[in-house]
Amino acid sequence: MQHTLQALIFDVDGTLADTERDGHRLAFNQAFAEQGLTWEWSVATYGELLAVTGGKERIRHYMQAYLQRSDADSDGGTFIKTLHQRKTEHYLALLQAGRIPLRPGVAALLDEAEAAGLTLAIATTTTPENVTYLLKATLGEHGPERFAVIAAGDVVPAKKPAPDIYHYALERLGLAPQACVAIEDSANGVRAARAAGLATVVVTNDYTRAQDFSGALAVFDSFVETGTQADEPGRALDWAALRRLWHA
Ligand code: XBP
Ligand code: MG
């Protein structure tokens, strides 16, 4: 890498925290049940539905592709929007209850990057409130203020794998993509970041482990070395690993 590394741009869901299986998925199911719908997204079905980013888009896809409902948007999207708003309220309650921690090693990486003078930013498909609630619940009341830019949700017309949210974040950072690294968990996220010209590092999770991360600078399976990896050092993305990658 020729440029000086100036910023880390983090994805949220699946990256900063493992939010999908026991967070968003539960909130969707709670909203469905509360609205009297018989829909119930299993862990496996939700894994398939994650191919579609954005909660409203995911509900629409489910109605059309799984329930063969061609009328998903017949009311101009009001039904989906209302259902998703209830889902978000259930998800925020899970966050406020402290049910969703940061992934092990993430807090340390944030601390070390800041100590090295890097700027922190976020580029995510999820609803903005979900980000501020997650950061407050895990990093304290001032957690969100540690991120110079929080680019989230519907602020851009097209969600990941489109690059829009990364372009939006770079524009507000006032930085060239060559001065930043994107940290993602999914193939959709890698495609979005790479299309915005960003070097991209992947930290996988149970939902994304088998996905195709072509174009990524490196793929790790955690942010912290665990006992099981003792015989295979280097599978964790920590500050030292990131610095080695950048200076490689
Ligand atoms: C993940 C997403 C989001 C969440 C659900 O975002 O695709 O849609 O699954 O959140 P990322 P919403 O990995 O970019 O952080 O229901 O608020 O969309
Ligand atoms: Mg993600």
Side-chain angles (χ1 to χ4, degrees), residues 14-85:
T15 303
L16 286 182
D18 215 345
T19 59
E20 296 291 2
R21 191 191 65 189
D22 300 332
H24 288 297
R25 183 181 69 89
L26 299 187
F28 278 112
N29 287 336
Q30 287 164 8
F32 299 156
E34 173 191 271
Q35 298 300 315
L37 298 165
T38 58
W39 310 350
E40 169 92 20
W41 287 354
S42 67
V43 172
T45 297
Y46 192 66
E48 294 166 7
L49 292 169
L50 278 172
V52 177
T53 62
K56 294 187 289 295
E57 296 79 356
R58 194 166 300 141
I59 293 170
R60 180 177 300 109
H61 171 71
Y62 175 72
M63 292 176 74
Q64 291 169 341
Y66 286 67
L67 305 182
Q68 286 71 50
R69 292 274 301 273
S70 57
D71 62 342
D73 267 328
S74 58
D75 65 353
T78 305
F79 166 75
I80 290 175
K81 190 171 178 195
T82 306
L83 185 57
H84 185 254
Q85 281 166 345

XYZ file of all heavy atoms in Angstrom, residues 14-85:
571
model
N -23.044 -8.295 11.467
C -22.175 -9.426 11.173
C -20.714 -9.089 11.369
O -19.872 -9.982 11.455
N -20.389 -7.788 11.432
C -18.983 -7.383 11.547
C -18.695 -6.830 12.942
O -18.041 -7.475 13.745
C -18.646 -6.338 10.465
O -18.943 -6.899 9.178
C -17.181 -5.919 10.516
N -19.242 -5.624 13.236
C -19.050 -5.100 14.593
C -19.679 -6.040 15.621
O -19.127 -6.242 16.711
C -19.667 -3.709 14.722
C -18.927 -2.535 14.067
C -19.677 -1.235 14.348
C -17.482 -2.423 14.561
N -20.819 -6.575 15.262
C -21.540 -7.475 16.176
C -22.255 -8.546 15.354
O -22.643 -8.302 14.201
C -22.553 -6.691 17.002
N -22.443 -9.709 15.971
C -23.134 -10.808 15.291
C -24.631 -10.608 15.510
O -25.233 -11.238 16.383
C -22.654 -12.142 15.884
C -22.594 -13.220 14.798
O -23.185 -12.981 13.723
O -21.954 -14.262 15.032
N -25.219 -9.732 14.747
C -26.573 -9.227 15.021
C -27.688 -10.004 14.338
O -28.860 -9.849 14.690
C -26.689 -7.783 14.475
O -26.420 -7.856 13.050
C -25.713 -6.839 15.133
N -27.367 -10.817 13.355
C -28.440 -11.311 12.489
C -29.266 -12.453 13.083
O -30.481 -12.340 13.275
C -27.848 -11.737 11.123
C -27.238 -10.592 10.331
C -28.242 -9.579 9.788
O -29.455 -9.747 10.058
O -27.842 -8.629 9.114
N -28.589 -13.566 13.448
C -29.354 -14.766 13.853
C -30.193 -14.517 15.094
O -31.387 -14.817 15.139
C -28.404 -15.938 14.111
C -29.114 -17.282 14.264
C -28.184 -18.357 14.774
N -27.719 -18.060 16.128
C -26.768 -18.749 16.745
N -26.157 -19.742 16.129
N -26.402 -18.432 17.977
N -29.545 -13.944 16.138
C -30.241 -13.790 17.427
C -30.708 -12.367 17.692
O -31.100 -12.036 18.808
C -29.320 -14.262 18.558
C -28.934 -15.733 18.362
O -29.748 -16.472 17.749
O -27.837 -16.121 18.783
N -30.605 -11.525 16.652
C -31.055 -10.129 16.812
C -32.120 -9.793 15.792
O -33.329 -9.943 16.026
N -31.684 -9.398 14.601
C -32.647 -8.998 13.565
C -33.678 -10.100 13.305
O -34.883 -9.822 13.189
C -31.904 -8.679 12.261
C -31.116 -7.398 12.310
N -31.712 -6.154 12.482
C -29.794 -7.168 12.206
C -30.774 -5.218 12.488
N -29.595 -5.800 12.320
N -33.212 -11.347 13.193
C -34.141 -12.441 12.881
C -35.253 -12.548 13.922
O -36.437 -12.670 13.590
C -33.398 -13.788 12.763
C -34.265 -14.964 12.361
C -33.445 -16.261 12.307
N -33.039 -16.656 13.641
C -33.766 -17.444 14.438
N -34.941 -17.901 14.016
N -33.349 -17.761 15.655
N -34.900 -12.447 15.196
C -35.905 -12.519 16.275
C -36.866 -11.337 16.186
O -38.075 -11.480 16.347
C -35.221 -12.536 17.645
C -34.275 -13.700 17.948
C -33.839 -13.644 19.413
C -34.915 -15.038 17.623
N -36.320 -10.162 15.879
C -37.160 -8.958 15.788
C -38.142 -9.068 14.636
O -39.322 -8.694 14.767
C -36.274 -7.725 15.635
N -37.670 -9.584 13.497
C -38.611 -9.812 12.385
C -39.736 -10.749 12.842
O -40.917 -10.468 12.648
C -37.872 -10.442 11.193
C -37.124 -9.461 10.316
C -35.740 -9.459 10.277
C -37.811 -8.546 9.504
C -35.035 -8.569 9.464
C -37.114 -7.655 8.681
C -35.738 -7.667 8.664
N -39.363 -11.863 13.450
C -40.382 -12.854 13.855
C -41.336 -12.292 14.900
O -42.539 -12.585 14.884
C -39.700 -14.134 14.357
C -39.077 -14.947 13.223
O -39.496 -14.839 12.056
N -38.061 -15.738 13.534
N -40.816 -11.458 15.797
C -41.701 -10.830 16.795
C -42.706 -9.894 16.116
O -43.895 -9.875 16.447
C -40.852 -10.058 17.824
C -40.107 -10.957 18.800
C -38.994 -10.212 19.551
O -38.850 -8.998 19.461
N -38.189 -10.959 20.290
N -42.238 -9.159 15.126
C -43.138 -8.233 14.412
C -44.175 -9.012 13.626
O -45.363 -8.666 13.603
C -42.324 -7.332 13.494
N -43.748 -10.127 12.998
C -44.708 -10.927 12.219
C -45.814 -11.469 13.143
O -47.003 -11.357 12.851
C -43.990 -12.109 11.536
C -42.908 -11.722 10.561
C -41.874 -12.607 10.268
C -42.907 -10.479 9.942
C -40.863 -12.260 9.371
C -41.894 -10.124 9.049
C -40.875 -11.006 8.765
N -45.389 -12.018 14.271
C -46.367 -12.631 15.203
C -47.321 -11.565 15.729
O -48.544 -11.742 15.763
C -45.622 -13.294 16.347
N -46.760 -10.413 16.058
C -47.569 -9.312 16.631
C -48.600 -8.815 15.626
O -49.711 -8.418 15.986
C -46.585 -8.190 16.983
C -47.176 -6.899 17.422
C -46.067 -5.853 17.457
O -45.453 -5.755 18.530
O -45.810 -5.210 16.426
N -48.266 -8.923 14.331
C -49.196 -8.463 13.293
C -50.136 -9.580 12.857
O -50.825 -9.477 11.840
C -48.413 -7.932 12.080
C -47.525 -6.723 12.404
C -48.301 -5.511 12.934
O -49.336 -5.153 12.384
N -47.824 -4.927 14.025
N -50.057 -10.725 13.570
C -50.979 -11.826 13.261
C -50.596 -12.605 12.021
O -51.403 -13.342 11.455
N -49.339 -12.459 11.598
C -48.875 -13.199 10.415
C -48.338 -14.551 10.850
O -47.754 -14.677 11.926
C -47.765 -12.399 9.717
C -48.191 -11.018 9.174
C -46.961 -10.180 8.836
C -49.091 -11.188 7.962
N -48.485 -15.575 10.032
C -47.963 -16.908 10.381
C -46.510 -17.052 9.927
O -45.938 -18.118 10.008
C -48.804 -18.000 9.672
O -48.732 -17.750 8.244
C -50.255 -17.947 10.134
N -45.903 -15.974 9.443
C -44.526 -16.060 8.961
C -43.573 -16.302 10.124
O -43.703 -15.691 11.184
C -44.105 -14.766 8.262
C -45.062 -14.265 7.206
C -46.151 -14.921 6.685
C -44.997 -12.990 6.561
N -46.783 -14.119 5.767
C -46.096 -12.935 5.640
C -44.137 -11.888 6.645
C -46.339 -11.818 4.840
C -44.373 -10.787 5.843
C -45.467 -10.755 4.938
N -42.618 -17.225 9.924
C -41.602 -17.474 10.961
C -40.299 -17.783 10.238
O -40.208 -18.787 9.532
C -42.020 -18.681 11.811
C -40.914 -19.211 12.759
C -40.975 -18.582 14.147
O -42.049 -18.065 14.492
O -39.942 -18.601 14.841
N -39.324 -16.907 10.330
C -38.062 -17.099 9.627
C -37.122 -17.954 10.485
O -36.624 -17.516 11.535
C -37.424 -15.746 9.320
C -38.150 -15.001 8.212
C -39.175 -15.462 7.441
C -37.902 -13.661 7.770
N -39.601 -14.492 6.561
C -38.819 -13.377 6.727
C -36.986 -12.667 8.145
C -38.858 -12.150 6.054
C -37.011 -11.444 7.484
C -37.945 -11.199 6.445
N -36.880 -19.198 10.042
C -35.946 -20.091 10.752
C -34.518 -19.574 10.545
O -34.274 -18.707 9.679
C -36.053 -21.503 10.161
O -35.561 -21.477 8.821
N -33.587 -20.112 11.299
C -32.175 -19.724 11.144
C -31.734 -19.977 9.701
O -31.084 -19.120 9.082
C -31.290 -20.511 12.138
C -29.808 -20.269 11.867
C -31.629 -20.097 13.580
N -32.142 -21.123 9.155
C -31.721 -21.475 7.779
C -32.377 -20.554 6.747
O -31.701 -19.991 5.869
C -32.079 -22.917 7.484
N -33.691 -20.350 6.878
C -34.385 -19.469 5.908
C -33.819 -18.067 5.968
O -33.579 -17.433 4.934
C -35.899 -19.446 6.202
O -36.412 -20.764 6.017
C -36.637 -18.466 5.312
N -33.561 -17.584 7.187
C -33.018 -16.226 7.317
C -31.646 -16.133 6.654
O -31.322 -15.144 6.006
C -32.932 -15.813 8.788
C -32.655 -14.332 8.953
C -33.584 -13.378 8.557
C -31.447 -13.883 9.473
C -33.336 -12.020 8.683
C -31.184 -12.533 9.600
C -32.132 -11.603 9.208
O -31.867 -10.257 9.319
N -30.871 -17.209 6.758
C -29.561 -17.229 6.095
C -29.703 -17.052 4.589
O -28.910 -16.355 3.941
N -30.739 -17.651 4.014
C -30.994 -17.484 2.572
C -31.440 -16.037 2.282
O -30.973 -15.396 1.356
C -32.109 -18.431 2.114
C -31.773 -19.906 2.199
C -33.038 -20.767 2.061
O -34.140 -20.223 1.774
O -32.927 -21.996 2.252
N -32.302 -15.530 3.149
C -32.873 -14.178 2.919
C -31.830 -13.073 3.076
O -31.990 -11.976 2.538
C -34.034 -13.935 3.888
C -35.284 -14.790 3.654
C -36.247 -14.645 4.828
C -35.961 -14.383 2.347
N -30.733 -13.387 3.776
C -29.687 -12.368 3.951
C -29.009 -11.991 2.638
O -28.271 -11.010 2.565
C -28.638 -12.854 4.965
C -29.015 -12.668 6.430
C -27.996 -13.350 7.338
C -29.143 -11.182 6.780
N -29.288 -12.777 1.596
C -28.739 -12.417 0.275
C -29.306 -11.064 -0.168
O -28.691 -10.352 -0.969
C -29.083 -13.484 -0.746
N -30.459 -10.712 0.382
C -31.086 -9.423 0.075
C -30.825 -8.465 1.236
O -31.220 -8.752 2.376
C -32.607 -9.586 -0.120
C -33.276 -8.227 -0.361
C -32.896 -10.530 -1.277
N -30.147 -7.379 0.976
C -29.819 -6.459 2.069
C -30.966 -5.466 2.263
O -31.711 -5.170 1.326
C -28.530 -5.663 1.763
O -28.751 -4.873 0.587
C -27.351 -6.594 1.547
N -31.109 -4.998 3.476
C -32.194 -4.061 3.785
C -33.412 -4.824 4.279
O -33.891 -5.725 3.585
N -33.904 -4.464 5.461
C -35.023 -5.208 6.054
C -36.299 -5.103 5.248
O -37.001 -6.097 5.034
N -36.599 -3.920 4.753
C -37.828 -3.750 3.938
C -37.706 -4.543 2.638
O -38.612 -5.262 2.236
C -38.050 -2.260 3.631
C -38.356 -1.412 4.848
C -38.725 0.019 4.510
C -37.549 0.829 4.013
N -36.491 1.013 5.062
N -36.525 -4.448 2.029
C -36.273 -5.189 0.778
C -36.357 -6.690 1.032
O -36.834 -7.461 0.199
C -34.895 -4.805 0.218
C -34.777 -3.339 -0.205
C -34.555 -2.351 0.944
O -34.567 -2.788 2.135
O -34.403 -1.152 0.674
N -35.894 -7.115 2.216
C -35.909 -8.540 2.563
C -37.332 -9.037 2.743
O -37.714 -10.120 2.293
C -35.097 -8.775 3.848
C -34.740 -10.200 4.150
C -33.665 -10.278 5.241
N -32.471 -9.575 4.804
C -31.714 -8.827 5.621
N -32.032 -8.659 6.897
N -30.642 -8.229 5.158
N -38.186 -8.250 3.370
C -39.597 -8.634 3.535
C -40.271 -8.733 2.160
O -40.966 -9.704 1.853
C -40.346 -7.609 4.409
C -39.835 -7.623 5.850
C -41.856 -7.874 4.384
C -40.366 -6.467 6.705
N -40.015 -7.752 1.331
C -40.612 -7.744 -0.021
C -40.174 -8.979 -0.796
O -40.986 -9.690 -1.394
C -40.225 -6.478 -0.778
C -40.816 -6.402 -2.184
C -40.473 -5.096 -2.884
N -40.979 -3.948 -2.138
C -40.203 -3.093 -1.465
N -38.882 -3.274 -1.451
N -40.720 -2.080 -0.796
N -38.874 -9.288 -0.733
C -38.342 -10.474 -1.434
C -39.021 -11.740 -0.916
O -39.419 -12.625 -1.674
C -36.826 -10.544 -1.232
C -36.200 -11.819 -1.717
N -36.085 -12.122 -3.061
C -35.694 -12.887 -1.031
C -35.512 -13.307 -3.176
N -35.274 -13.790 -1.976
N -39.170 -11.844 0.389
C -39.816 -13.026 1.000
C -41.253 -13.166 0.488
O -41.672 -14.261 0.064
C -39.818 -12.876 2.520
C -40.562 -13.965 3.253
C -40.055 -15.249 3.333
C -41.806 -13.703 3.849
C -40.732 -16.262 4.003
C -42.496 -14.708 4.523
C -41.962 -15.983 4.586
O -42.651 -16.970 5.248
N -41.975 -12.081 0.460
C -43.379 -12.129 0.005
C -43.452 -12.587 -1.453
O -44.276 -13.415 -1.823
C -44.023 -10.751 0.159
C -44.219 -10.326 1.607
S -44.866 -8.633 1.751
C -46.579 -8.903 1.248
N -42.551 -12.054 -2.266
C -42.616 -12.362 -3.699
C -42.034 -13.738 -4.011
O -42.636 -14.543 -4.700
C -41.849 -11.275 -4.481
C -42.551 -9.915 -4.440
C -41.679 -8.772 -4.971
O -40.454 -8.913 -5.041
N -42.302 -7.656 -5.319
N -40.844 -14.033 -3.432
C -40.133 -15.258 -3.840
C -40.560 -16.482 -3.051
O -40.542 -17.596 -3.550
C -38.624 -15.045 -3.690
N -40.967 -16.276 -1.771
C -41.303 -17.437 -0.938
C -42.815 -17.638 -0.834
O -43.298 -18.752 -0.708
C -40.724 -17.270 0.476
C -39.221 -17.474 0.562
C -38.345 -16.582 -0.052
C -38.667 -18.569 1.233
C -36.974 -16.761 0.010
C -37.294 -18.750 1.303
C -36.454 -17.852 0.689
O -35.091 -18.028 0.760
N -43.559 -16.542 -0.856
C -45.020 -16.657 -0.711
C -45.738 -16.420 -2.038
O -46.960 -16.402 -2.099
C -45.522 -15.645 0.332
C -44.876 -15.701 1.728
C -45.525 -14.661 2.631
C -44.983 -17.101 2.324
N -44.961 -16.185 -3.085
C -45.532 -15.923 -4.425
C -46.597 -14.805 -4.357
O -47.641 -14.872 -5.007
C -46.152 -17.191 -5.027
C -45.115 -18.212 -5.508
C -44.394 -18.898 -4.376
O -45.028 -19.397 -3.442
N -43.052 -18.928 -4.435
N -46.350 -13.800 -3.527
C -47.300 -12.690 -3.401
C -46.887 -11.594 -4.392
O -45.920 -10.876 -4.170
C -47.262 -12.143 -1.980
C -47.804 -13.103 -0.921
C -49.301 -12.960 -0.813
N -49.650 -11.587 -0.457
C -49.714 -11.152 0.835
N -49.409 -11.971 1.828
N -50.053 -9.913 1.091
N -47.595 -11.464 -5.466
C -47.258 -10.421 -6.447
C -47.790 -9.061 -5.978
O -47.466 -8.031 -6.533
C -47.884 -10.766 -7.802
O -49.290 -10.907 -7.605
N -48.580 -9.077 -4.877
C -49.191 -7.821 -4.424
C -48.355 -7.130 -3.351
O -48.833 -6.225 -2.666
C -50.577 -8.118 -3.836
C -50.470 -9.031 -2.612
O -49.398 -9.681 -2.463
O -51.428 -9.078 -1.811
N -47.085 -7.553 -3.229
C -46.265 -7.042 -2.112
C -46.244 -5.519 -2.063
O -46.233 -4.909 -0.992
C -44.837 -7.572 -2.230
N -46.297 -4.896 -3.240
C -46.211 -3.431 -3.227
C -47.496 -2.766 -3.686
O -47.505 -1.592 -4.038
C -45.066 -2.995 -4.155
C -43.775 -2.846 -3.347
O -43.885 -2.477 -2.160
O -42.694 -3.125 -3.887
N -48.584 -3.535 -3.672
C -49.845 -2.992 -4.227
C -50.333 -1.773 -3.427
O -51.076 -0.949 -3.938
C -50.926 -4.081 -4.208
O -51.095 -4.534 -2.867
N -49.867 -1.662 -2.168
C -50.325 -0.500 -1.370
C -49.231 0.567 -1.305
O -49.161 1.366 -0.379
C -50.682 -0.961 0.051
C -49.453 -1.470 0.782
O -48.379 -1.583 0.130
O -49.551 -1.749 1.995
N -48.308 0.508 -2.279
C -47.264 1.529 -2.302
C -46.222 1.320 -1.227
O -45.442 2.208 -0.909
N -46.221 0.098 -0.662
C -45.175 -0.223 0.318
C -45.544 0.103 1.754
O -44.745 -0.092 2.670
N -46.746 0.563 1.990
C -47.154 0.954 3.357
C -47.138 -0.229 4.322
O -46.612 -0.141 5.435
C -48.581 1.559 3.334
O -48.605 2.636 2.400
C -48.987 2.033 4.723
N -47.660 -1.375 3.850
C -47.692 -2.558 4.728
C -46.272 -2.945 5.142
O -45.966 -3.143 6.319
C -48.366 -3.725 3.992
C -48.162 -5.068 4.641
C -48.861 -5.403 5.796
C -47.255 -5.983 4.115
C -48.664 -6.632 6.414
C -47.055 -7.224 4.723
C -47.757 -7.546 5.868
N -45.378 -3.002 4.162
C -43.983 -3.418 4.442
C -43.302 -2.396 5.343
O -42.637 -2.746 6.318
C -43.209 -3.599 3.117
C -43.722 -4.831 2.358
C -41.709 -3.707 3.387
C -43.096 -5.025 0.979
N -43.529 -1.137 5.064
C -42.860 -0.081 5.854
C -43.323 -0.124 7.311
O -42.513 -0.066 8.245
C -43.183 1.284 5.240
C -42.369 2.429 5.817
C -42.571 3.714 5.024
C -41.765 4.856 5.680
N -42.172 6.174 5.200
N -44.625 -0.304 7.516
C -45.172 -0.369 8.876
C -44.662 -1.604 9.617
O -44.226 -1.533 10.770
C -46.719 -0.404 8.811
O -47.169 0.705 8.030
C -47.336 -0.358 10.197
N -44.654 -2.731 8.915
C -44.164 -3.980 9.521
C -42.691 -3.823 9.903
O -42.257 -4.224 10.982
C -44.351 -5.121 8.518
C -44.026 -6.540 8.951
C -44.834 -6.955 10.179
C -44.294 -7.519 7.784
N -41.926 -3.168 9.022
C -40.493 -3.009 9.298
C -40.254 -2.039 10.456
O -39.333 -2.224 11.263
C -39.764 -2.529 8.041
C -38.281 -2.472 8.222
N -37.587 -1.303 8.374
C -37.366 -3.474 8.319
C -36.307 -1.561 8.545
N -36.143 -2.867 8.509
N -41.098 -1.049 10.565
C -40.963 -0.114 11.698
C -41.167 -0.855 13.022
O -40.436 -0.630 13.991
C -41.969 1.038 11.558
C -41.513 2.108 10.569
C -42.634 3.080 10.164
O -43.834 2.806 10.392
N -42.262 4.183 9.561
